[in-house]
Amino acid sequence: MIAGKVFDLAQPLFAGMPHFPTHPPFARTLTKAHGEQVLVNGASSAAELITMGGHVGTHIDALSHFSCDGKLHGGVAPVQSYSDGVTTLGVDTVAPIFRRGVLFDVARLMGVDALPLDYVITPEHLEDCGVTPKAGDVALIRTGWGKFWDHSSRFITGDGGSVVRGPGPKKAGAQWLSKHGIFAAGSDTVAFEHVPSHMEVHVHLLVERGIHIIECLNLESLSEAGVKEFQFIALPLKIRGGTGSPIRPVAVVE
Amino acid sequence: MIAGKVFDLAQPLFAGMPHFPTHPPFARTLTKAHGEQVLVNGASSAAELITMGGHVGTHIDALSHFSCDGKLHGGVAPVQSYSDGVTTLGVDTVAPIFRRGVLFDVARLMGVDALPLDYVITPEHLEDCGVTPKAGDVALIRTGWGKFWDHSSRFITGDGGSVVRGPGPKKAGAQWLSKHGIFAAGSDTVAFEHVPSHMEVHVHLLVERGIHIIECLNLESLSEAGVKEFQFIALPLKIRGGTGSPIRPVAVVE
Amino acid sequence: MIAGKVFDLAQPLFAGMPHFPTHPPFARTLTKAHGEQVLVNGASSAAELITMGGHVGTHIDALSHFSCDGKLHGGVAPVQSYSDGVTTLGVDTVAPIFRRGVLFDVARLMGVDALPLDYVITPEHLEDCGVTPKAGDVALIRTGWGKFWDHSSRFITGDGGSVVRGPGPKKAGAQWLSKHGIFAAGSDTVAFEHVPSHMEVHVHLLVERGIHIIECLNLESLSEAGVKEFQFIALPLKIRGGTGSPIRPVAVVE
Amino acid sequence: MIAGKVFDLAQPLFAGMPHFPTHPPFARTLTKAHGEQVLVNGASSAAELITMGGHVGTHIDALSHFSCDGKLHGGVAPVQSYSDGVTTLGVDTVAPIFRRGVLFDVARLMGVDALPLDYVITPEHLEDCGVTPKAGDVALIRTGWGKFWDHSSRFITGDGGSVVRGPGPKKAGAQWLSKHGIFAAGSDTVAFEHVPSHMEVHVHLLVERGIHIIECLNLESLSEAGVKEFQFIALPLKIRGGTGSPIRPVAVVE
């Protein structure tokens, strides 16, 4: 049985929360409210309709999310349709995730609350964080941007213009991670990689190396507690043909 | 660290899967397909829009889902609006679930693949299953109906008419469960309780006793393995004001 | 050119408005708000995501909406899938509607603001309204329930229980209409026909006679003006495989 | 009564159809299929759930869609929220549209099937089309791109890269139109204006002049028939706080 402290790594879902502009936002309406329909015994219920993009909120990318030169990871051409999604390497094929996690707290390393807008996270930063990922690990990078979740334009663009911008690794940082054979890389930003970009980091991790990406994490409590190693647990929804899934990941420290 | 066998208790999500008629179905469309928009380096991505009810697919009910005589569990009046949902006792207040789980395999007890349409699960059935729930446990009931997931009308109505029908406990069975002080009760059916009903079981568990309900589980592999006790893990999405959330629960046997 | 007074026959669309319980409600969220993303020239935009059932709000039923004994109107078996809809007799095949309209103002005939909950509209009521439909007409029935649009439970159930209830014609009334060879029949209620029912009127009109049904109209201003004959215009969205479409119909009186 | 030929100016709605990348795509799933739930009299029905952006498919922009320096048309600051939309100058305030329409068939003028990718439509082009808009008119511009509707990447980007590109007027062309005092300007493209841009044309028309914009029209049949003047009819859905609405506009030639 799990024993120890559980850190909740998910951001809350609500209308108006940040979303990458080309991914549909989170929407919700009640389908009925308490008191609208009341049974003879006084029972009543409320329920809702939810709409969102597959890459909105704290979520994991399936390997089917990116291709390069027409090929997914492993050189496979995607089988896809608008109604069935991408049925190759879909998120429904991702097993429940129980893995060692490590935190690269780059914001703390640099002594800042949050990394600047255009800050590039380098292999040297990762080296200096004092943790070493092992094969199969989940490696999380903290920029401090998780605390901007309630301020959408700050989280998405740094609060200026209409271009998605934010700190993160470029290809060199991604290669440092991938050479350790990790299972997934995550961050507390919307794009994981330094953006704007040509999505080289997504291509490197998802397509070239078969490494999942997790975005929009909340790593604040983990950082405050000074935790660098933990058990990482996430249970992606089995969306057939999904290219991503919302998750509520946790870190467990025994 | 978790060690042991992980049983996946979630049903897959796809268009056309079963849903309670008053809860909106699962819908998905790609927002873009691979190859539609290609960057200069050959990178391309696919992503999707998803729509679903908060009580569709394998999911957990927040205590805010039901009221009786205008009150939620604890005698609290719900604060609610169509846009913000029910902000009292919402699913975003449910902590990550790591609890002991027990399986009441009633179908196996009765020696059938699946219980008949109008079968009532009694306290005696639960007594005879050979497991005793403890305070704080998650108690799961298997009817065998999980195997009908790919046959929507069979799963929802027993394949006749337009009324939701299926086996499950009535209030006596629910009271047997609740007296053990469990945290949540679940089943492999769409309504947990024997339906049609006046939702007495929902009122008893959610409103009177503050016990969550989990529906649309897939308990087949757990039954095949003869597992009766396990660690139950589920991580509900933090939907602010949500009355329910899709989950992908697992059972871990050490 | 159209000359004359235009009466707007549509109800507004908003979260929390009435909807038949098995049809998903209207939901909306902004995808971005003014000021969130601002271009260098000061330009900013707001836009939204919308979700709704095909039979929600003021809408028209395609002939594909109902079948009987497995057959649509004309004895055709429906070609259908969850992703493509019903591609036989879909709403995308309905031409822009420019037809003579007639109003059967039964509430006014009976001298009431709104017909009672379980009121049956008979052929005699229709005879007594002082208008005669011609072949190809759109025949609208006013019950007075349109004024309950801002009170969802009143509009859907008459404000009691969870069963959809309301006034309207039974089969005899529908037959009186269909014998005149009308193109469509409409009302200011959610179900057109007297409900609860076995949907005999829907089967008679849509399946047996190929007559469209229009629901959730707002006929109050037309009634106040004492208009009984008008040009009816409606322009259904061309949803491929749609079984219905939201419309904003108008009556033009020259 | 309307007499004459009706030209349908709407594109069909289907999953996979073109959409501006930051506006959510059209999605649909059946909520139930014929035969899934059958009443005792053999009656069965099919219906659907629909999701789409407010600026997807053939649609009209409300004046609330764009702001400049924080102000909508008339210098009004937008009142807005994610759940209620923009309740200032919303699409629900747009009256049913019955106006004179004129077609600027620039593709025909230039003797091409479709204007090139980066073609700028100038005041001179509009002068040469042989029609003059009057105050209150709806002025439609044909580029020939309507025929690409079934080929999403061609329609959105000209089939290269990920940037929305297409022919259209720049500010000079928009000013030529606005000086005639038109009610709305439309085109058979996704952005109306020449893109990429800083949306100067949207700002000029919607914000500075209070002129609506209509996009994604199908003007092919009108062009083939050589029609330059017509009655334009469109009936926007009354979405409270909506910044746009899908429409099915028609041109009537008497």
Side-chain angles (χ1 to χ4, degrees), chain C residues 149-164:
Chain C
W149 189 252
D150 285 319
H151 184 168
S152 174
S153 61
R154 180 71 182 85
F155 191 80
I156 299 296
T157 63
D159 221 0
S162 63
V163 175
V164 179

Side-chain angles (χ1 to χ4, degrees), chain C residues 84-143:
Chain C
D84 292 334
V86 184
T87 52
T88 321
L89 296 173
V91 77
D92 52 322
T93 64
V94 178
I97 302 168
F98 292 92
R99 291 176 179 270
R100 177 175 176 259
V102 291
L103 178 66
F104 294 88
D105 195 342
V106 182
R108 173 181 275 225
L109 175 73
M110 303 312 295
V112 295
D113 267 4
L115 296 178
L117 187 57
D118 291 320
Y119 201 79
V120 177
I121 296 174
T122 65
E124 292 68 33
H125 287 123
L126 300 175
E127 290 279 5
D128 291 349
C129 279
V131 285
T132 306
K134 298 177 188 164
D137 278 4
V138 174
L140 308 182
I141 295 176
R142 178 174 170 269
T143 68

Side-chain angles (χ1 to χ4, degrees), chain C residues 1 10 13 28 34 36 42 44 46 48 50 52 54 64-65 67 69 80 82 94 236 238 240 243 248 254, chain D residues 1 10 13 28 34 36 42 44 46 48 50 52 54 64-65 67 69 80 82 94 236 238 240 243 248 254:
Chain C
M1 300 288 285
L13 297 167
R28 178 256 316 283
H34 291 286
E36 250 184 68
S44 191
E48 64 276 287
I50 289 163
M52 61 192 299
S64 56
H65 183 34
S67 59
D69 298 331
Q80 60 182 355
Y82 269 76
V94 178
K238 289 195 293 187
R240 273 195 197 151
T243 69
R248 185 189 186 176
E254 297 180 50
Chain D
M1 300 289 284
L13 296 167
R28 176 257 316 283
H34 290 286
E36 252 184 69
S44 190
E48 62 277 289
I50 289 165
M52 61 192 300
S64 57
H65 183 34
S67 58
D69 297 333
Q80 60 181 357
Y82 268 75
V94 179
K238 288 196 294 187
R240 274 196 197 151
T243 69
R248 185 190 185 174
E254 297 180 51

Side-chain angles (χ1 to χ4, degrees), chain D residues 34-98:
Chain D
H34 290 286
E36 252 184 69
Q37 296 178 16
V38 183
L39 301 179
V40 291
N41 56 346
S44 190
S45 69
E48 62 277 289
L49 166 74
I50 289 165
T51 301
M52 61 192 300
H55 299 266
V56 167
T58 309
H59 70 278
I60 187 167
D61 294 351
L63 299 185
S64 57
H65 183 34
F66 263 76
S67 58
C68 194
D69 297 333
K71 300 294 172 55
L72 302 178
H73 179 64
V76 184
V79 176
Q80 60 181 357
S81 73
Y82 268 75
S83 52
D84 293 335
V86 184
T87 51
T88 322
L89 296 173
V91 77
D92 51 324
T93 66
V94 179
I97 301 167
F98 292 92

Side-chain angles (χ1 to χ4, degrees), chain A residues 10-28 50-60 145-157 164 189-190 215-218 245-248, chain B residues 48-50 83-84 92 237-241, chain C residues 28-33 36-37 47 49, chain D residues 81-83:
Chain A
Q11 298 281 10
L13 297 167
F14 56 90
M17 71 181 208
H19 65 105
F20 202 96
T22 50
H23 293 299
F26 174 86
R28 176 257 316 282
I50 290 165
T51 301
M52 61 191 300
H55 299 266
V56 167
T58 308
H59 70 278
I60 187 167
W145 280 46
K147 64 176 69 69
F148 303 143
W149 189 252
D150 285 321
H151 183 168
S152 175
S153 61
R154 179 71 181 84
F155 190 80
I156 298 296
T157 63
V164 179
T189 62
V190 76
E215 287 153 332
C216 301
L217 289 158
N218 184 339
S245 170
I247 52 173
R248 183 188 189 178
Chain B
E48 61 277 289
L49 167 74
I50 290 164
S83 52
D84 292 335
D92 51 323
L237 300 179
K238 288 196 294 186
I239 302 166
R240 274 195 196 153
Chain C
R28 178 256 316 283
T29 194
L30 289 187
T31 54
K32 62 178 169 178
E36 250 184 68
Q37 296 177 15
L49 166 75
Chain D
S81 73
Y82 268 75
S83 52

Side-chain angles (χ1 to χ4, degrees), chain C:
Chain C
M1 300 288 285
I2 284 283
K5 186 164 169 55
V6 175
F7 293 84
D8 186 345
L9 307 184
Q11 298 281 11
L13 297 167
F14 55 92
M17 71 182 209
H19 65 107
F20 202 95
T22 50
H23 293 299
F26 174 86
R28 178 256 316 283
T29 194
L30 289 187
T31 54
K32 62 178 169 178
H34 291 286
E36 250 184 68
Q37 296 177 15
V38 183
L39 301 180
V40 290
N41 56 345
S44 191
S45 68
E48 64 276 287
L49 166 75
I50 289 163
T51 301
M52 61 192 299
H55 299 265
V56 168
T58 309
H59 70 278
I60 187 167
D61 294 351
L63 300 184
S64 56
H65 183 34
F66 262 76
S67 59
C68 195
D69 298 331
K71 299 293 171 59
L72 302 178
H73 178 65
V76 184
V79 176
Q80 60 182 355
S81 72
Y82 269 76
S83 52
D84 292 334
V86 184
T87 52
T88 321
L89 296 173
V91 77
D92 52 322
T93 64
V94 178
I97 302 168
F98 292 92
R99 291 176 179 270
R100 177 175 176 259
V102 291
L103 178 66
F104 294 88
D105 195 342
V106 182
R108 173 181 275 225
L109 175 73
M110 303 312 295
V112 295
D113 267 4
L115 296 178
L117 187 57
D118 291 320
Y119 201 79
V120 177
I121 296 174
T122 65
E124 292 68 33
H125 287 123
L126 300 175
E127 290 279 5
D128 291 349
C129 279
V131 285
T132 306
K134 298 177 188 164
D137 278 4
V138 174
L140 308 182
I141 295 176
R142 178 174 170 269
T143 68
W145 280 45
K147 65 175 70 68
F148 302 143
W149 189 252
D150 285 319
H151 184 168
S152 174
S153 61
R154 180 71 182 85
F155 191 80
I156 299 296
T157 63
D159 221 0
S162 63
V163 175
V164 179
R165 290 175 63 189
K170 291 192 170 187
K171 191 162 179 183
Q175 286 173 320
W176 186 93
L177 289 168
S178 68
K179 78 177 180 202
H180 289 91
I182 59 174
F183 171 77
S187 74
D188 53 1
T189 62
V190 75
F192 182 74
E193 70 185 277
H194 183 272
V195 279
S197 74
H198 284 110
M199 308 309 283
E200 296 89 346
V201 168
H202 275 68
V203 169
H204 178 67
L205 294 177
L206 292 170
V207 183
E208 294 173 11
R209 297 303 171 96
I211 295 170
H212 296 275
I213 297 174
I214 300 170
E215 288 153 330
C216 302
L217 289 158
N218 184 338
L219 302 171
E220 297 306 289
S221 62
L222 214 51
S223 174
E224 284 160 22
V227 173
K228 290 185 175 178
E229 294 185 49
F230 45 88
Q231 182 172 23
F232 178 89
I233 304 177
L235 303 169
L237 300 179
K238 289 195 293 187
I239 301 165
R240 273 195 197 151
T243 69
S245 171
I247 51 173
R248 185 189 186 176
V250 295
V252 182
V253 180
E254 297 180 50

Side-chain angles (χ1 to χ4, degrees), chain B residues 100-121:
Chain B
R100 178 177 176 257
V102 291
L103 178 67
F104 294 88
D105 195 341
V106 182
R108 173 181 275 226
L109 175 73
M110 303 312 295
V112 295
D113 266 4
L115 296 178
L117 187 56
D118 292 320
Y119 200 79
V120 178
I121 295 173

